[in-house]
Amino acid sequence: ITTTDSEVRRSTVVGYQVANEATLEWWGSHCGTGIVSLVDESPYPEFNPPVKSVDKEYTKVGASITYTVKQVFPYTIDSNKAKSIVLTDTFNSVLNISNITHQVLDSEGNDVTSDWGKAVDGQKVTITYKGSDTKNVSGEYRFIFSKITVKESALTSESLANLTEDGINYKLIPYIATILISSLDGTVDDKDTNEVI
């Protein structure tokens, strides 16, 4: 519209999209503009990979290990919240997980373990959110796995890499966890942790 009349109603919406992010800008004069979504669901926001750590650098056979997975979950609303949130770990066969326990702490350090169910199938452990609303899962969460011990078979395992330090031979036991999030719109995103040895 090209006019000098200040009472003319004008409305312009400009959208920019780069990869998975979109920005809308609105310019208007003497009018109202409403912007609504054409679909009821949106993809879950982009999130960073989880970070894993182990409580001790070296562990003897029979000793207990504790692994921690930290995940920062983005803030969501009803239209883009997760349909499901699942953490999976497949522990190396030289680790005894028969007595494994898990604890989940939210971004404020509160114990929210009761909101997360655990299933064990052989060496695979699956932690699934079963709370009232996935919108409640935001900020940095910590998943703590304890009472894991190293089997004698670790010493003779040919599948594990060797490390010699100060004349002592060690076996390196790799450990990677995965966070998998399903969106309401049907998309699925999964991220692996760093490898902890």
Side-chain angles (χ1 to χ4, degrees), residues 168-187:
I168 301 174
N169 295 322
Y170 298 93
K171 288 287 189 175
L172 303 180
I173 305 173
Y175 178 53
I176 297 174
T178 301
I179 293 280
L180 187 147
I181 294 179
S182 298
S183 296
L184 292 174
D185 73 340
T187 58

Side-chain angles (χ1 to χ4, degrees), residues 21-195:
E21 294 185 5
T23 302
L24 290 178
E25 293 184 8
W26 169 75
W27 300 286
S29 175
H30 297 85
C31 65
T33 298
I35 301 174
V36 297
S37 172
L38 297 179
V39 294
D40 293 332
E41 292 91 22
S42 303
Y44 188 81
E46 181 67 22
F47 62 100
N48 292 323
V51 177
K52 173 166 286 186
S53 60
V54 62
D55 65 332
K56 53 179 72 74
E57 187 174 0
Y58 300 108
T59 305
K60 294 181 179 180
V61 168
S64 180
I65 308 172
T66 296
Y67 290 107
T68 299
V69 177
K70 292 182 181 180
Q71 176 65 61
V72 178
F73 294 99
Y75 173 80
T76 59
I77 58 177
D78 280 332
S79 62
N80 70 345
K81 67 182 181 180
K83 182 178 181 180
S84 65
I85 303 173
V86 179
L87 181 149
T88 59
D89 279 295
T90 300
F91 292 84
N92 193 284
S93 61
V94 301
L95 295 174
N96 181 356
I97 65 167
S98 60
N99 296 314
I100 192 171
T101 62
H102 81 288
Q103 182 182 31
V104 184
L105 303 177
D106 68 11
S107 58
E108 297 179 359
N110 300 314
D111 189 324
V112 291
T113 308
S114 60
D115 288 341
W116 299 81
K118 180 180 71 177
V120 180
D121 181 13
Q123 292 294 109
K124 182 179 180 180
V125 176
T126 303
I127 306 296
T128 304
Y129 180 72
K130 60 184 184 70
S132 60
D133 194 337
T134 58
K135 290 201 314 286
N136 298 330
V137 182
S138 66
E140 183 180 274
Y141 273 60
R142 285 182 290 154
F143 301 84
I144 303 168
F145 299 96
S146 303
K147 295 188 178 179
I148 304 163
T149 56
V150 180
K151 298 178 184 178
E152 188 80 26
S153 59
L155 298 176
T156 56
S157 173
E158 295 183 2
S159 65
L160 299 178
N162 296 301
L163 169 68
T164 301
E165 196 168 282
D166 296 329
I168 301 174
N169 295 322
Y170 298 93
K171 288 287 189 175
L172 303 180
I173 305 173
Y175 178 53
I176 297 174
T178 301
I179 293 280
L180 187 147
I181 294 179
S182 298
S183 296
L184 292 174
D185 73 340
T187 58
V188 177
D189 197 358
D190 62 300
K191 299 252 188 331
D192 293 337
T193 61
N194 52 308
E195 183 177 76

